[in-house]
Structures are given as structure tokens and as C-alpha cells.
């Protein structure tokens, strides 16, 4: 079983001595998963189980466990290497769309110039003005030139190895977060889901709320962090609490008035005392952004896309002449791939346009869910008498259990026989003190 990186990270953040409840509260994962992961990791790195007099379990790990695992598992080293390689490959993929765009523009312009040169050359050889469509206005050709982008050497540099132009910052009032070629990819496809870690944030927050309340909560305290609570019947029966109970091994308690509260014994156990941690009043999803690129970079991408599209249309009109289409060399090559060039030009502007409306639609959904969770948080803060009674009943079960090293009945760090002798001596001393007190 490969070590869970989330568990390893939580152990390091909690100073290498944890309970399953500590890890579940820190990561938001299921208690059973956390316990299995701790057992497997302890076996891999030489960690130790510690059992208190009351039967509670804690796990102690060596501080160098990451190094132990890296030396023990070739797979981890291979994964680490692949992560670095993939970072480079993904960067190449990101800039490749910008490279194709620039190559398309250059190829279209050079082909148009080559066509005009061929036409003018034919007109010099044929004073009758036939050939490829007549004299295009004499033997002199005017080829317009214009700047189609920023410093391309700069555009190829990764973000960590470049400095941004002061002119760009001054003109648009913001500092670019990526190179221009990366911005083209962002313009086309965006920058990923801003809520990719939503489930992790959800369960971390839920576990923290439970711990902050001594391991016992009411459903209304958890509702601001959940999504769809179901219909009115499901909400009345509090069915939406079932996934929380399953994940953190909780159980309901019923008050004399018939109100339900939910107790999570494992989350009441911790290896060290932790104060209440601040949490948001409700789980807030981040809105989707069209692009993280600066406004200047987006304007540049749109301008290049427009140049590419207009150039493709102009080239297409020229290639309709059968005589021109039959030219060899650069013109023949471009004519052969013209379908791809035109499709890329259309998609370069069409995909972002469609994605813009899709982002607006997604953000409307996100806003609705955020408003629903916010309303539940407001209802909790304005608790009525019935809810106050539930909260009071829940507080009766609130408690925290510390598994301190002084309370240990057993630990795998030491020989079992030695510990049994110490336990026997400890019991004898306690009985001796009781007898002396009589």
C-alpha cells in the first residue's frame, strides 16, 4: 500500500505524533481511511503505536520518515521524477498553441507574398496581362509589415526565469502572471477548475467544526458546508448528515424532546491539546475565471487571432484561382494544409467565445449554491428557541480526550515485558497508597 501523501503531510504538520482523529480533522478524510493509512505508514517507516490506559490509540513517527520512504520505495522516487518531467512537458504543451498560432500567421503571410511575387513575375513575362489573373498594378509589390507580438525570446521564458516589462505594467496597470505564449493557452482553455480542492476543503472544515464543538454537533452547524440537502422531508429527517456520520464514524444521540445531535467519539481524541481553529461561516465556492492572463495579454491574443483569421480568409480567396492553387513550393504546401489553417483560425476565436458563455453559466450555478449555504449560516447565527435547545443538549456530550505520554499503558517503542512489569509496579503503588489512606 503506497503511503498517502495527505496523511504524511498532516503528520508533519502535527509534529509527528497523532491520532486517527487528528489526521481525519486535518485532512477531511474518512476515519477508517486515516486509521488504515496510519497503520500502513507506521509499518513502513518504523513508527510506533501508543495505547492509553483508556484504550485510546496514538501513533508516533520518526521525523525523517520522508527520507526513509524515499530510500525504501523506488516508486516514490520515480513518481517524483515524473512530476518534474511532466511539469516541463505540460509547459511545452501550453506554449505549443501559441507557437502554432504564430507559425500559422507567418506561413499565411509568406504564402500571400509568394503568390503576389508569382503573379508579378508572370505579368512581366506576359505583357498581355493574362497568366494568374492579370497585372496586379505593375511590377512593384507593396507588402505591408506590422508587429504581431511582444519580444518572443521573452515569451518563451518560464515565469520563474523572467522579468516583466515595465511598459506593459504601466500601460495596463497590472503585472502579468504568465508568459505571452502561456497566456494564449489560458485564453483558449482557461486555467483549470478553481474548486478542484472543494471536497478536501469541505471535509477539512466539517471536521474542524466538529472538533471546535467538542466532538458533538447539530445538523444545522454542518449544513452551511454541504451542497444539496434534499427535499423538505429529507431535511426534516436530516438525511444529509449520513455521509458525515459515515466518513467520521459518528452516531446520533436523541434528546428528551426528540431532537437529534451527532457525536463523533474518534474526533474527540487527540494526541496534543489544540485550541479552536477559525473556520469560515459557510463553504464558499470560488467563481470560475475566463483567464488568469492580464488584460494586455488577452488583447494581444485576440489581435493575433483576428490577424490569423483574416489572413486565412484572404489566402482562401486567392487559392480559389485554380492556376494559383497548382503552384508548387511554399504555395503548394500551404494549399495542402489550408483546411487545417482555416479550422485552427476559426477554433482559436470560436472556442474562447463559447467558453466565455459557459463560464457565465457555471458562475450562476456557483452563486446560487453559495447563497444557499450562506442562508443556512445566517439561520444558524439567528437560532430560534428550538435550535438553542439542540445546541445546549449537544454541549452535554462535548469533550476532549488527550492521549499523553504519561497515560500510556503500552507502546511499541519498548519491550512488552518491560512495560508489563512497569504496569504491575504502577498498580501495586496505587494499591499501596490506597491502603495507607485507610
Amino acid at each position: 500500500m503506497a503511503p498517502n501523501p495527505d496523511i504524511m503531510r498532516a503528520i508533519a504538520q502535527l509534529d509527528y505524533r497523532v491520532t486517527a482523529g487528528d489526521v481525519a480533522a486535518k485532512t477531511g478524510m474518512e476515519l477508517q481511511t486515516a486509521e488504515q493509512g496510519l497503520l500502513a505508514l507506521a509499518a513502513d517507516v518504523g513508527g510506533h503505536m501508543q495505547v492509553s490506559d483508556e484504550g485510546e490509540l496514538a501513533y508516533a513517527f520518526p521525523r525523517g520518515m520522508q527520507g526513509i520512504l524515499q530510500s525504501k520505495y523506488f516508486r516514490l522516487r520515480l513518481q517524483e521524477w515524473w512530476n518534474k518531467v511532466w511539469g516541463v512537458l505540460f509547459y511545452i504543451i501550453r506554449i505549443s498553441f501559441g507557437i502554432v498560432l504564430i507559425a500559422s500567421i507567418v506561413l499565411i503571410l509568406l504564402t500571400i507574398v509568394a503568390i503576389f511575387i508569382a503573379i508579378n513575375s508572370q505579368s512581366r513575362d506576359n505583357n498581355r496581362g493574362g497568366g494568374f489573373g492579370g497585372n496586379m498594378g505593375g511590377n512593384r509589390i507593396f507588402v505591408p509589415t506590422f508587429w504581431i507580438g511582444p519580444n518572443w525570446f521573452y515569451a518563451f521564458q518560464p515565469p520563474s526565469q523572467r522579468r516583466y516589462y515595465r511598459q506593459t505594467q504601466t500601460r495596463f496597470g497590472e503585472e502579468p502572471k504568465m508568459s505571452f505564449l502561456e497566456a494564449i493557452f489560458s485564453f483558449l482553455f482557461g486555467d483549470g477548475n478553481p474548486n478542484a480542492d472543494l471536497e478536501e476543503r469541505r471535509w477539512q472544515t466539517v471536521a474542524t467544526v466538529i472538533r471546535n464543538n467538542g466532538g458533538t454537533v447539530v445538523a444545522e452547524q454542518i449544513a452551511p458546508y454541504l451542497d444539496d440537502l434534499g427535499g423538505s422531508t429529507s431535511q426534516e429527517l436530516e438525511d444529509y448528515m449520513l455521509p458525515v456520520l459515515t466518513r467520521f464514524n459518528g452516531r446520533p444521540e436523541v434528546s428528551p424532546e426528540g431532537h437529534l445531535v451527532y457525536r463523533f467519539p474518534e474526533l474527540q481524541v487527540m494526541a496534543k491539546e489544540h485550541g479552536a481553529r477559525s473556520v469560515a461561516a459557510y463553504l464558499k465556492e470560488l467563481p470560475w475565471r475566463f483567464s488568469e492572463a492580464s488584460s494586455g495579454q488577452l488583447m494581444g491574443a485576440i489581435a493575433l487571432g483576428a490577424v490569423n483569421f483574416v489572413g486565412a480568409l484572404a489566402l482562401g480567396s486567392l487559392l480559389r484561382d485554380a492556376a494559383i492553387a497548382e503552384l508548387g513550393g511554399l504555395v503548394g504546401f500551404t494549399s495542402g494544409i489550408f483546411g487545417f489553417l482555416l479550422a485552427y483560425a476559426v477554433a482559436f476565436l470560436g472556442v474562447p467565445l463559447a467558453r466565455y458563455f459557459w463560464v457565465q453559466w457555471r458562475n450562476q450555478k456557483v452563486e446560487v449554491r453559495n447563497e444557499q449555504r450562506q442562508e443556512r449560516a445566517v439561520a444558524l447565527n439567528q437560532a430560534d428557541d428550538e435550535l438553542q435547545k439542540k445546541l445546549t443538549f449537544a454541549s452535554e456530550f462535548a469533550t476532549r480526550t488527550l492521549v499523553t505520554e504519561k497515560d500510556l499503558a503500552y507502546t511499541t517503542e519498548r519491550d512488552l515485558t518491560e512495560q508489563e512489569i512497569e504496569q504491575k509496579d504502577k498498580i501495586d503503588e496505587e494499591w499501596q497508597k490506597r491502603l495507607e489512606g485507610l
Side-chain angles (χ1 to χ4, degrees), residues 202-243:
R202 182 198 312 279
W203 294 117
Q204 285 178 349
T205 307
V206 168
T208 301
V209 169
I210 294 172
R211 278 215 152 172
N212 286 349
N213 288 275
T216 307
V217 293
V218 299
E220 288 81 357
Q221 290 174 293
I222 304 299
Y225 308 99
L226 304 178
D227 289 334
D228 185 16
L229 302 186
S232 57
T233 303
S234 296
Q235 293 186 32
E236 184 178 353
L237 297 176
E238 300 180 356
D239 290 342
Y240 56 86
M241 285 296 295
L242 291 176

mmCIF file of all heavy atoms in Angstrom, residues 202-243:
data_model
loop_
_atom_site.group_PDB
_atom_site.id
_atom_site.type_symbol
_atom_site.label_atom_id
_atom_site.label_comp_id
_atom_site.label_asym_id
_atom_site.label_seq_id
_atom_site.Cartn_x
_atom_site.Cartn_y
_atom_site.Cartn_z
ATOM 1 N N ARG A 202 -14.069 21.034 1.998
ATOM 2 C CA ARG A 202 -15.341 20.774 2.675
ATOM 3 C C ARG A 202 -15.137 19.895 3.911
ATOM 4 O O ARG A 202 -15.562 20.237 5.019
ATOM 5 C CB ARG A 202 -16.300 20.103 1.698
ATOM 6 C CG ARG A 202 -17.682 19.834 2.300
ATOM 7 C CD ARG A 202 -18.461 18.799 1.503
ATOM 8 N NE ARG A 202 -18.456 19.047 0.084
ATOM 9 C CZ ARG A 202 -19.243 19.907 -0.537
ATOM 10 N NH1 ARG A 202 -20.101 20.624 0.155
ATOM 11 N NH2 ARG A 202 -19.170 20.060 -1.854
ATOM 12 N N TRP A 203 -14.463 18.745 3.731
ATOM 13 C CA TRP A 203 -14.353 17.799 4.827
ATOM 14 C C TRP A 203 -13.364 18.266 5.890
ATOM 15 O O TRP A 203 -13.537 17.961 7.077
ATOM 16 C CB TRP A 203 -13.984 16.426 4.289
ATOM 17 C CG TRP A 203 -15.079 15.853 3.444
ATOM 18 C CD1 TRP A 203 -15.022 15.555 2.133
ATOM 19 C CD2 TRP A 203 -16.410 15.541 3.874
ATOM 20 N NE1 TRP A 203 -16.227 15.070 1.687
ATOM 21 C CE2 TRP A 203 -17.100 15.050 2.740
ATOM 22 C CE3 TRP A 203 -17.080 15.627 5.079
ATOM 23 C CZ2 TRP A 203 -18.430 14.642 2.799
ATOM 24 C CZ3 TRP A 203 -18.411 15.212 5.131
ATOM 25 C CH2 TRP A 203 -19.067 14.736 4.012
ATOM 26 N N GLN A 204 -12.349 19.026 5.492
ATOM 27 C CA GLN A 204 -11.469 19.623 6.489
ATOM 28 C C GLN A 204 -12.254 20.567 7.387
ATOM 29 O O GLN A 204 -12.091 20.557 8.617
ATOM 30 C CB GLN A 204 -10.329 20.388 5.793
ATOM 31 C CG GLN A 204 -9.247 19.520 5.198
ATOM 32 C CD GLN A 204 -8.196 20.340 4.501
ATOM 33 O OE1 GLN A 204 -8.357 21.534 4.280
ATOM 34 N NE2 GLN A 204 -7.093 19.698 4.134
ATOM 35 N N THR A 205 -13.089 21.388 6.777
ATOM 36 C CA THR A 205 -13.867 22.354 7.549
ATOM 37 C C THR A 205 -14.890 21.659 8.430
ATOM 38 O O THR A 205 -15.086 22.034 9.596
ATOM 39 C CB THR A 205 -14.571 23.342 6.603
ATOM 40 O OG1 THR A 205 -13.622 23.918 5.715
ATOM 41 C CG2 THR A 205 -15.249 24.443 7.393
ATOM 42 N N VAL A 206 -15.575 20.655 7.893
ATOM 43 C CA VAL A 206 -16.565 19.918 8.685
ATOM 44 C C VAL A 206 -15.901 19.283 9.903
ATOM 45 O O VAL A 206 -16.415 19.367 11.035
ATOM 46 C CB VAL A 206 -17.261 18.851 7.821
ATOM 47 C CG1 VAL A 206 -18.067 17.889 8.690
ATOM 48 C CG2 VAL A 206 -18.169 19.508 6.788
ATOM 49 N N ALA A 207 -14.746 18.639 9.700
ATOM 50 C CA ALA A 207 -14.044 18.013 10.820
ATOM 51 C C ALA A 207 -13.602 19.051 11.843
ATOM 52 O O ALA A 207 -13.664 18.810 13.055
ATOM 53 C CB ALA A 207 -12.841 17.224 10.307
ATOM 54 N N THR A 208 -13.161 20.216 11.366
ATOM 55 C CA THR A 208 -12.738 21.275 12.288
ATOM 56 C C THR A 208 -13.913 21.802 13.089
ATOM 57 O O THR A 208 -13.794 22.066 14.298
ATOM 58 C CB THR A 208 -12.073 22.421 11.502
ATOM 59 O OG1 THR A 208 -10.951 21.911 10.781
ATOM 60 C CG2 THR A 208 -11.595 23.515 12.445
ATOM 61 N N VAL A 209 -15.060 21.961 12.442
ATOM 62 C CA VAL A 209 -16.269 22.410 13.166
ATOM 63 C C VAL A 209 -16.639 21.403 14.248
ATOM 64 O O VAL A 209 -16.975 21.782 15.379
ATOM 65 C CB VAL A 209 -17.431 22.610 12.177
ATOM 66 C CG1 VAL A 209 -18.746 22.812 12.926
ATOM 67 C CG2 VAL A 209 -17.168 23.797 11.272
ATOM 68 N N ILE A 210 -16.575 20.132 13.924
ATOM 69 C CA ILE A 210 -16.902 19.102 14.909
ATOM 70 C C ILE A 210 -15.926 19.165 16.081
ATOM 71 O O ILE A 210 -16.343 19.115 17.251
ATOM 72 C CB ILE A 210 -16.867 17.709 14.257
ATOM 73 C CG1 ILE A 210 -17.975 17.592 13.209
ATOM 74 C CG2 ILE A 210 -17.028 16.612 15.307
ATOM 75 C CD1 ILE A 210 -17.909 16.324 12.383
ATOM 76 N N ARG A 211 -14.645 19.296 15.796
ATOM 77 C CA ARG A 211 -13.648 19.367 16.875
ATOM 78 C C ARG A 211 -13.811 20.638 17.707
ATOM 79 O O ARG A 211 -13.665 20.611 18.930
ATOM 80 C CB ARG A 211 -12.245 19.306 16.286
ATOM 81 C CG ARG A 211 -11.791 17.896 15.985
ATOM 82 C CD ARG A 211 -10.321 17.755 16.237
ATOM 83 N NE ARG A 211 -9.994 16.385 16.586
ATOM 84 C CZ ARG A 211 -8.753 15.946 16.712
ATOM 85 N NH1 ARG A 211 -7.742 16.743 16.513
ATOM 86 N NH2 ARG A 211 -8.529 14.694 17.048
ATOM 87 N N ASN A 212 -14.076 21.758 17.044
ATOM 88 C CA ASN A 212 -14.251 23.013 17.775
ATOM 89 C C ASN A 212 -15.414 22.936 18.750
ATOM 90 O O ASN A 212 -15.444 23.663 19.750
ATOM 91 C CB ASN A 212 -14.482 24.171 16.807
ATOM 92 C CG ASN A 212 -13.213 24.585 16.075
ATOM 93 O OD1 ASN A 212 -12.117 24.151 16.428
ATOM 94 N ND2 ASN A 212 -13.357 25.409 15.063
ATOM 95 N N ASN A 213 -16.382 22.052 18.454
ATOM 96 C CA ASN A 213 -17.552 21.906 19.322
ATOM 97 C C ASN A 213 -17.459 20.668 20.206
ATOM 98 O O ASN A 213 -18.497 20.121 20.618
ATOM 99 C CB ASN A 213 -18.818 21.856 18.470
ATOM 100 C CG ASN A 213 -19.163 23.197 17.859
ATOM 101 O OD1 ASN A 213 -19.804 24.038 18.484
ATOM 102 N ND2 ASN A 213 -18.721 23.414 16.618
ATOM 103 N N GLY A 214 -16.263 20.226 20.479
ATOM 104 C CA GLY A 214 -16.068 19.128 21.414
ATOM 105 C C GLY A 214 -16.501 17.779 20.891
ATOM 106 O O GLY A 214 -16.784 16.876 21.668
ATOM 107 N N GLY A 215 -16.569 17.615 19.574
ATOM 108 C CA GLY A 215 -16.897 16.327 19.000
ATOM 109 C C GLY A 215 -18.376 16.044 18.878
ATOM 110 O O GLY A 215 -18.764 14.946 18.477
ATOM 111 N N THR A 216 -19.228 17.030 19.201
ATOM 112 C CA THR A 216 -20.676 16.845 19.103
ATOM 113 C C THR A 216 -21.299 18.081 18.468
ATOM 114 O O THR A 216 -21.031 19.204 18.898
ATOM 115 C CB THR A 216 -21.308 16.613 20.477
ATOM 116 O OG1 THR A 216 -20.624 15.530 21.133
ATOM 117 C CG2 THR A 216 -22.778 16.255 20.346
ATOM 118 N N VAL A 217 -22.131 17.860 17.451
ATOM 119 C CA VAL A 217 -22.736 18.980 16.733
ATOM 120 C C VAL A 217 -24.196 18.660 16.441
ATOM 121 O O VAL A 217 -24.652 17.527 16.591
ATOM 122 C CB VAL A 217 -21.996 19.248 15.403
ATOM 123 C CG1 VAL A 217 -20.585 19.740 15.649
ATOM 124 C CG2 VAL A 217 -21.992 17.998 14.516
ATOM 125 N N VAL A 218 -24.901 19.688 16.003
ATOM 126 C CA VAL A 218 -26.241 19.511 15.470
ATOM 127 C C VAL A 218 -26.162 19.673 13.956
ATOM 128 O O VAL A 218 -25.191 20.216 13.427
ATOM 129 C CB VAL A 218 -27.232 20.526 16.074
ATOM 130 C CG1 VAL A 218 -27.312 20.350 17.573
ATOM 131 C CG2 VAL A 218 -26.835 21.958 15.719
ATOM 132 N N ALA A 219 -27.181 19.205 13.266
ATOM 133 C CA ALA A 219 -27.143 19.213 11.802
ATOM 134 C C ALA A 219 -27.030 20.621 11.251
ATOM 135 O O ALA A 219 -26.373 20.848 10.226
ATOM 136 C CB ALA A 219 -28.394 18.529 11.249
ATOM 137 N N GLU A 220 -27.651 21.590 11.913
ATOM 138 C CA GLU A 220 -27.619 22.968 11.420
ATOM 139 C C GLU A 220 -26.212 23.554 11.425
ATOM 140 O O GLU A 220 -25.927 24.498 10.673
ATOM 141 C CB GLU A 220 -28.545 23.849 12.270
ATOM 142 C CG GLU A 220 -30.031 23.606 12.051
ATOM 143 C CD GLU A 220 -30.551 22.392 12.820
ATOM 144 O OE1 GLU A 220 -29.747 21.701 13.476
ATOM 145 O OE2 GLU A 220 -31.771 22.147 12.766
ATOM 146 N N GLN A 221 -25.322 23.022 12.254
ATOM 147 C CA GLN A 221 -23.946 23.510 12.276
ATOM 148 C C GLN A 221 -23.134 22.981 11.090
ATOM 149 O O GLN A 221 -22.127 23.574 10.711
ATOM 150 C CB GLN A 221 -23.258 23.101 13.579
ATOM 151 C CG GLN A 221 -23.794 23.833 14.806
ATOM 152 C CD GLN A 221 -23.184 23.295 16.087
ATOM 153 O OE1 GLN A 221 -23.424 22.149 16.470
ATOM 154 N NE2 GLN A 221 -22.374 24.124 16.745
ATOM 155 N N ILE A 222 -23.564 21.882 10.514
ATOM 156 C CA ILE A 222 -22.858 21.274 9.389
ATOM 157 C C ILE A 222 -23.466 21.691 8.053
ATOM 158 O O ILE A 222 -22.776 21.748 7.032
ATOM 159 C CB ILE A 222 -22.870 19.736 9.507
ATOM 160 C CG1 ILE A 222 -22.264 19.313 10.866
ATOM 161 C CG2 ILE A 222 -22.113 19.076 8.377
ATOM 162 C CD1 ILE A 222 -20.822 19.750 11.046
ATOM 163 N N ALA A 223 -24.749 22.018 8.036
ATOM 164 C CA ALA A 223 -25.452 22.322 6.789
ATOM 165 C C ALA A 223 -24.791 23.426 5.955
ATOM 166 O O ALA A 223 -24.791 23.335 4.728
ATOM 167 C CB ALA A 223 -26.908 22.700 7.104
ATOM 168 N N PRO A 224 -24.200 24.490 6.549
ATOM 169 C CA PRO A 224 -23.576 25.526 5.709
ATOM 170 C C PRO A 224 -22.366 25.044 4.905
ATOM 171 O O PRO A 224 -21.869 25.809 4.068
ATOM 172 C CB PRO A 224 -23.155 26.590 6.737
ATOM 173 C CG PRO A 224 -24.048 26.379 7.906
ATOM 174 C CD PRO A 224 -24.260 24.906 7.961
ATOM 175 N N TYR A 225 -21.933 23.830 5.122
ATOM 176 C CA TYR A 225 -20.747 23.330 4.406
ATOM 177 C C TYR A 225 -21.098 22.208 3.433
ATOM 178 O O TYR A 225 -20.202 21.630 2.820
ATOM 179 C CB TYR A 225 -19.707 22.844 5.421
ATOM 180 C CG TYR A 225 -19.402 23.882 6.469
ATOM 181 C CD1 TYR A 225 -19.999 23.835 7.728
ATOM 182 C CD2 TYR A 225 -18.561 24.947 6.182
ATOM 183 C CE1 TYR A 225 -19.740 24.804 8.681
ATOM 184 C CE2 TYR A 225 -18.293 25.925 7.128
ATOM 185 C CZ TYR A 225 -18.891 25.845 8.370
ATOM 186 O OH TYR A 225 -18.645 26.814 9.304
ATOM 187 N N LEU A 226 -22.389 21.924 3.290
ATOM 188 C CA LEU A 226 -22.831 20.871 2.380
ATOM 189 C C LEU A 226 -23.520 21.487 1.175
ATOM 190 O O LEU A 226 -23.811 22.687 1.141
ATOM 191 C CB LEU A 226 -23.781 19.907 3.103
ATOM 192 C CG LEU A 226 -23.237 19.248 4.376
ATOM 193 C CD1 LEU A 226 -24.290 18.359 5.003
ATOM 194 C CD2 LEU A 226 -21.959 18.469 4.085
ATOM 195 N N ASP A 227 -23.785 20.667 0.162
ATOM 196 C CA ASP A 227 -24.449 21.151 -1.041
ATOM 197 C C ASP A 227 -25.947 20.895 -0.944
ATOM 198 O O ASP A 227 -26.606 21.415 -0.069
ATOM 199 C CB ASP A 227 -23.840 20.492 -2.275
ATOM 200 C CG ASP A 227 -22.432 21.013 -2.564
ATOM 201 O OD1 ASP A 227 -22.134 22.147 -2.161
ATOM 202 O OD2 ASP A 227 -21.640 20.280 -3.181
ATOM 203 N N ASP A 228 -26.471 20.077 -1.806
ATOM 204 C CA ASP A 228 -27.904 19.811 -1.838
ATOM 205 C C ASP A 228 -28.327 19.019 -0.602
ATOM 206 O O ASP A 228 -27.828 17.929 -0.350
ATOM 207 C CB ASP A 228 -28.249 19.039 -3.114
ATOM 208 C CG ASP A 228 -29.745 18.828 -3.265
ATOM 209 O OD1 ASP A 228 -30.515 19.529 -2.571
ATOM 210 O OD2 ASP A 228 -30.130 17.975 -4.083
ATOM 211 N N LEU A 229 -29.249 19.568 0.156
ATOM 212 C CA LEU A 229 -29.733 18.898 1.368
ATOM 213 C C LEU A 229 -30.954 18.023 1.103
ATOM 214 O O LEU A 229 -31.461 17.403 2.032
ATOM 215 C CB LEU A 229 -30.083 19.936 2.443
ATOM 216 C CG LEU A 229 -28.960 20.882 2.861
ATOM 217 C CD1 LEU A 229 -29.414 21.751 4.034
ATOM 218 C CD2 LEU A 229 -27.696 20.126 3.223
ATOM 219 N N GLY A 230 -31.390 17.964 -0.144
ATOM 220 C CA GLY A 230 -32.557 17.158 -0.462
ATOM 221 C C GLY A 230 -33.853 17.933 -0.289
ATOM 222 O O GLY A 230 -33.871 19.153 -0.032
ATOM 223 N N GLY A 231 -34.958 17.232 -0.416
ATOM 224 C CA GLY A 231 -36.263 17.858 -0.277
ATOM 225 C C GLY A 231 -36.603 18.173 1.165
ATOM 226 O O GLY A 231 -35.814 17.936 2.090
ATOM 227 N N SER A 232 -37.795 18.680 1.374
ATOM 228 C CA SER A 232 -38.214 19.085 2.718
ATOM 229 C C SER A 232 -38.248 17.895 3.677
ATOM 230 O O SER A 232 -37.869 18.015 4.850
ATOM 231 C CB SER A 232 -39.595 19.753 2.653
ATOM 232 O OG SER A 232 -40.548 18.870 2.057
ATOM 233 N N THR A 233 -38.676 16.744 3.171
ATOM 234 C CA THR A 233 -38.723 15.553 4.024
ATOM 235 C C THR A 233 -37.316 15.127 4.434
ATOM 236 O O THR A 233 -37.061 14.814 5.610
ATOM 237 C CB THR A 233 -39.429 14.392 3.295
ATOM 238 O OG1 THR A 233 -40.743 14.802 2.906
ATOM 239 C CG2 THR A 233 -39.509 13.176 4.184
ATOM 240 N N SER A 234 -36.404 15.103 3.491
ATOM 241 C CA SER A 234 -35.020 14.719 3.790
ATOM 242 C C SER A 234 -34.383 15.692 4.764
ATOM 243 O O SER A 234 -33.628 15.288 5.661
ATOM 244 C CB SER A 234 -34.206 14.652 2.496
ATOM 245 O OG SER A 234 -34.691 13.636 1.643
ATOM 246 N N GLN A 235 -34.671 16.976 4.597
ATOM 247 C CA GLN A 235 -34.108 17.972 5.513
ATOM 248 C C GLN A 235 -34.683 17.815 6.912
ATOM 249 O O GLN A 235 -33.981 17.983 7.906
ATOM 250 C CB GLN A 235 -34.370 19.377 4.976
ATOM 251 C CG GLN A 235 -33.623 19.695 3.685
ATOM 252 C CD GLN A 235 -33.781 21.132 3.269
ATOM 253 O OE1 GLN A 235 -33.899 22.032 4.102
ATOM 254 N NE2 GLN A 235 -33.801 21.383 1.962
ATOM 255 N N GLU A 236 -35.971 17.508 6.984
ATOM 256 C CA GLU A 236 -36.589 17.324 8.297
ATOM 257 C C GLU A 236 -36.023 16.113 9.014
ATOM 258 O O GLU A 236 -35.809 16.132 10.235
ATOM 259 C CB GLU A 236 -38.109 17.179 8.128
ATOM 260 C CG GLU A 236 -38.858 17.086 9.446
ATOM 261 C CD GLU A 236 -40.360 17.001 9.234
ATOM 262 O OE1 GLU A 236 -40.802 17.141 8.075
ATOM 263 O OE2 GLU A 236 -41.087 16.796 10.228
ATOM 264 N N LEU A 237 -35.742 15.039 8.244
ATOM 265 C CA LEU A 237 -35.159 13.831 8.828
ATOM 266 C C LEU A 237 -33.649 13.913 8.959
ATOM 267 O O LEU A 237 -33.020 13.011 9.507
ATOM 268 C CB LEU A 237 -35.532 12.615 7.971
ATOM 269 C CG LEU A 237 -37.026 12.285 7.866
ATOM 270 C CD1 LEU A 237 -37.252 11.134 6.909
ATOM 271 C CD2 LEU A 237 -37.590 11.946 9.244
ATOM 272 N N GLU A 238 -33.063 15.015 8.417
ATOM 273 C CA GLU A 238 -31.612 15.244 8.483
ATOM 274 C C GLU A 238 -30.830 14.110 7.812
ATOM 275 O O GLU A 238 -29.789 13.684 8.287
ATOM 276 C CB GLU A 238 -31.161 15.446 9.931
ATOM 277 C CG GLU A 238 -31.838 16.638 10.598
ATOM 278 C CD GLU A 238 -31.406 16.856 12.034
ATOM 279 O OE1 GLU A 238 -30.624 16.034 12.553
ATOM 280 O OE2 GLU A 238 -31.843 17.857 12.645
ATOM 281 N N ASP A 239 -31.350 13.648 6.667
ATOM 282 C CA ASP A 239 -30.673 12.587 5.920
ATOM 283 C C ASP A 239 -29.309 13.037 5.406
ATOM 284 O O ASP A 239 -28.426 12.207 5.171
ATOM 285 C CB ASP A 239 -31.531 12.146 4.729
ATOM 286 C CG ASP A 239 -32.780 11.389 5.172
ATOM 287 O OD1 ASP A 239 -32.794 10.918 6.327
ATOM 288 O OD2 ASP A 239 -33.727 11.290 4.374
ATOM 289 N N TYR A 240 -29.133 14.343 5.214
ATOM 290 C CA TYR A 240 -27.864 14.843 4.673
ATOM 291 C C TYR A 240 -26.696 14.652 5.636
ATOM 292 O O TYR A 240 -25.539 14.829 5.253
ATOM 293 C CB TYR A 240 -27.994 16.327 4.297
ATOM 294 C CG TYR A 240 -28.456 17.230 5.422
ATOM 295 C CD1 TYR A 240 -27.560 17.778 6.334
ATOM 296 C CD2 TYR A 240 -29.808 17.538 5.575
ATOM 297 C CE1 TYR A 240 -27.978 18.612 7.350
ATOM 298 C CE2 TYR A 240 -30.236 18.367 6.593
ATOM 299 C CZ TYR A 240 -29.325 18.906 7.481
ATOM 300 O OH TYR A 240 -29.746 19.725 8.501
ATOM 301 N N MET A 241 -26.987 14.264 6.875
ATOM 302 C CA MET A 241 -25.914 14.009 7.839
ATOM 303 C C MET A 241 -25.330 12.610 7.695
ATOM 304 O O MET A 241 -24.275 12.315 8.274
ATOM 305 C CB MET A 241 -26.428 14.203 9.260
ATOM 306 C CG MET A 241 -26.623 15.645 9.665
ATOM 307 S SD MET A 241 -25.081 16.586 9.684
ATOM 308 C CE MET A 241 -24.174 15.768 10.998
ATOM 309 N N LEU A 242 -25.958 11.743 6.934
ATOM 310 C CA LEU A 242 -25.476 10.360 6.807
ATOM 311 C C LEU A 242 -24.053 10.281 6.241
ATOM 312 O O LEU A 242 -23.228 9.525 6.769
ATOM 313 C CB LEU A 242 -26.451 9.546 5.945
ATOM 314 C CG LEU A 242 -27.820 9.262 6.579
ATOM 315 C CD1 LEU A 242 -28.734 8.545 5.588
ATOM 316 C CD2 LEU A 242 -27.659 8.431 7.851
ATOM 317 N N PRO A 243 -23.720 11.034 5.158
ATOM 318 C CA PRO A 243 -22.332 10.970 4.683
ATOM 319 C C PRO A 243 -21.321 11.444 5.727
ATOM 320 O O PRO A 243 -20.203 10.920 5.799
ATOM 321 C CB PRO A 243 -22.338 11.898 3.459
ATOM 322 C CG PRO A 243 -23.749 11.942 3.021
ATOM 323 C CD PRO A 243 -24.561 11.841 4.275
#
